[in-house]
């Protein structure tokens, strides 16, 4: 019998699983998947986790990273 872990409560409310694939994050951010891999290599993108040999992203960390990107003061 396969085990189905329950997603976190905040992820259920948002209508998405607690961990995202690079493809899902790329669609969400509107960038190519290759860009996510380049950002990971340069350590400038959202934090990614290795689950076995696969990359996964926590939605909360993706949203926090995105918020930090828009926090720059552009009036200088």
């Amino acid at each position: 019998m396969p085990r189905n872990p329950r997603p976190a409560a905040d992820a259920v409310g948002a209508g998405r699983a607690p961990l995202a694939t690079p493809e899902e994050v790329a669609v969400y951010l509107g960038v190519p998947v290759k860009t996510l891999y380049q950002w990971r290599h340069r350590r400038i993108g959202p934090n990614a986790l290795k689950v076995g040999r696969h990359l996964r992203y926590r939605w909360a960390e993706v949203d926090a990273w995105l918020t930090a990107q828009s926090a720059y003061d552009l009036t200088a």
Side-chain angles (χ1 to χ4, degrees):
M1 175 180 278
R3 295 175 55 193
N4 292 328
R6 297 184 66 193
D10 60 336
V12 172
R16 54 190 177 193
L19 294 178
T21 64
E23 292 79 12
E24 292 171 326
V25 174
V27 168
Y28 178 69
L29 296 177
V31 299
V33 174
K34 186 174 180 178
T35 299
L36 285 178
Y37 286 109
Q38 289 173 353
W39 287 348
R40 178 171 165 77
H41 178 72
R42 296 179 187 165
R43 299 179 188 217
I44 60 172
N47 189 30
L49 305 168
K50 288 283 283 193
V51 179
R53 63 181 184 153
H54 304 284
L55 284 182
R56 294 294 180 260
Y57 294 84
R58 287 189 178 114
W59 283 114
E61 291 185 14
V62 172
D63 289 333
W65 176 83
L66 188 58
T67 300
Q69 299 309 301
S70 62
Y72 292 110
D73 183 14
L74 300 175
T75 60

